[in-house]
Amino acid sequence: MIPLQFSPEVAEARAAGRPIVALESTIITHGMPWPQNVETARLVEQTIRDAGAVPATIAVMGGIVHIGLDAATLNALGQARDVMKLSRADLAVCLALGRTGATTVAATMICAHLAGISVFATGGIGGVHRGAELSFDISADLMELAQTPVTVVCAGAKAILDLPKTLEVLETQGVPVITYGQDDLPAFWSRSSGLRSPLRMDSAAQIAASHRMRATLGLPGGQLVANPIPLVDEIPRDQITPFIEEALAEVARGAVAAKAVTPFLLQRLFELTDGRSLTANIALVLNNARLGAEIARALTAG
Ligand code: PSU
Ligand code: MN
């Protein structure tokens, strides 16, 4: 039996066939500092409710996959140390050991699919790291998108990654990259990456329709929706680039490796921008929560 536990709110929504939006927990434990991490998680959940859907934050607590976290659990997770960062490779081990872990995009997609949830909103996804031709550092998020049928709403990939290579891998893996409402691929803190998006859609209904069409065609895998950060909240590319280069140089000098790279870069960008990267990060996650709720509603309506 799959060790899955639904919160009362999510269980009710499932029974009533209401739209549900999954949320990840690595953004809470490894992506943002306390207490903004828990405050943001709560705001994101409320944003989804206000938009007419039900939030389902996903994490592994004591060897059980929780679909929907109550306030006390969320609070504890946001301050916990020794939380495993779970991708596809780690999920079963964490469960077998009865441990606690935060789900990345890849692991959240797996758990959402097990729970019958088709839409998932987050901030940024993992991708191909710069220098991947030597380090082989390519996030398992990309391969997950190729095999698990969940539509993931993000704000594009961060420019700490190699964006052209990330797009190439997604294309090879058959993952549609759909930018919402503009031609340029967004780059997380910035509305534009300078790269043209492979695909574009202008409404949640269209995104829901292509999600359904993949199932009709028998195509495995999900969709990646890139939702540009609102104009008022963005850090333009020319302003963030020097800070990104500085943080990356520290990684190149051997500061950290493997799974620690992304959390390290996020923390350094927070310091180098005097917290502005975090403010932008919060704004874009809320923006993605709104679009995720709209897509989930469109899928339920159809
Ligand atoms: N990007 C962010 N914030 C995050 C992450 C990425 O802006 O919190 C997290 C997500 O959970 C993503 C994971 O799935 O990092 C990717 O890690 P890796 O590159 O080790 O696969
Ligand atoms: Mn990696």
Side-chain angles (χ1 to χ4, degrees):
M1 243 213 355
I2 302 169
L4 213 59
Q5 188 176 309
F6 294 94
S7 69
E9 184 186 18
V10 175
E12 222 170 89
R14 274 164 52 93
R18 295 187 57 202
I20 303 174
V21 177
L23 299 165
E24 62 156 306
S25 42
T26 295
I27 189 171
I28 301 171
T29 56
H30 295 70
M32 286 186 190
W34 163 269
Q36 288 96 335
N37 57 353
V38 172
E39 287 163 13
T40 304
R42 288 223 182 86
L43 268 177
V44 170
E45 291 192 343
Q46 196 50 47
T47 301
I48 288 171
R49 291 187 193 102
D50 293 345
V54 172
T57 303
I58 294 177
V60 176
M61 309 295 301
I64 293 170
V65 178
H66 285 248
I67 311 289
L69 301 181
D70 60 37
T73 309
L74 190 61
N75 212 34
L77 188 70
Q79 297 172 81
R81 310 200 178 266
D82 275 342
V83 177
M84 291 175 77
K85 175 180 164 187
L86 307 177
S87 190
R88 168 169 279 260
D90 320 284
L91 186 59
V93 168
C94 181
L95 291 169
L97 292 175
R99 288 190 55 182
T100 290
T103 51
T104 60
V105 168
T108 305
M109 289 179 75
I110 294 170
C111 297
H113 182 50
L114 288 171
I117 302 171
S118 304
V119 181
F120 161 24
T122 188
I125 59 152
V128 180
H129 282 263
R130 298 203 205 171
E133 61 275 24
L134 294 175
S135 68
F136 278 45
D137 192 348
I138 301 175
S139 174
D141 290 352
L142 304 184
M143 274 50 88
E144 201 60 51
L145 281 159
Q147 57 185 311
T148 302
V150 172
T151 288
V152 179
V153 182
C154 71
K158 278 187 289 319
I160 58 178
L161 300 168
D162 187 322
L163 298 183
K165 287 196 184 75
T166 300
L167 284 182
E168 288 297 339
V169 170
L170 287 166
E171 185 191 56
T172 302
Q173 296 288 329
V175 178
V177 179
I178 303 164
T179 295
Y180 181 65
Q182 69 179 33
D183 293 324
D184 259 29
L185 184 76
F188 200 74
W189 297 292
S190 317
R191 282 177 67 81
S192 172
S193 62
L195 300 169
R196 198 180 165 80
S197 174
L199 298 161
R200 168 181 175 160
M201 283 182 158
D202 293 300
S203 73
Q206 291 173 340
I207 296 166
S210 57
H211 180 103
R212 271 194 231 103
M213 186 57 73
R214 285 188 74 87
T216 303
L217 297 176
L219 294 175
Q223 313 189 101
L224 184 62
V225 176
N227 186 26
I229 183 173
L231 190 58
V232 289
D233 301 305
E234 84 156 338
I235 308 177
R237 207 153 34 110
D238 55 336
Q239 287 177 32
I240 193 92
T241 300
F243 297 128
I244 290 173
E245 298 299 337
E246 186 170 340
L248 283 167
E250 291 170 20
V251 174
R253 285 197 294 272
V256 284
K259 289 173 88 113
V261 170
T262 301
F264 173 83
L265 288 171
L266 291 177
Q267 175 60 27
R268 285 301 287 140
L269 262 295
F270 173 69
E271 290 157 8
L272 292 166
T273 61
D274 289 324
R276 199 167 155 215
S277 69
L278 180 60
T279 311
N281 197 344
I282 294 167
L284 65 83
V285 176
L286 295 176
N287 191 44
N288 295 344
R290 279 185 287 271
L291 180 57
E294 249 192 276
I295 297 167
R297 288 177 61 187
L299 268 176
T300 316

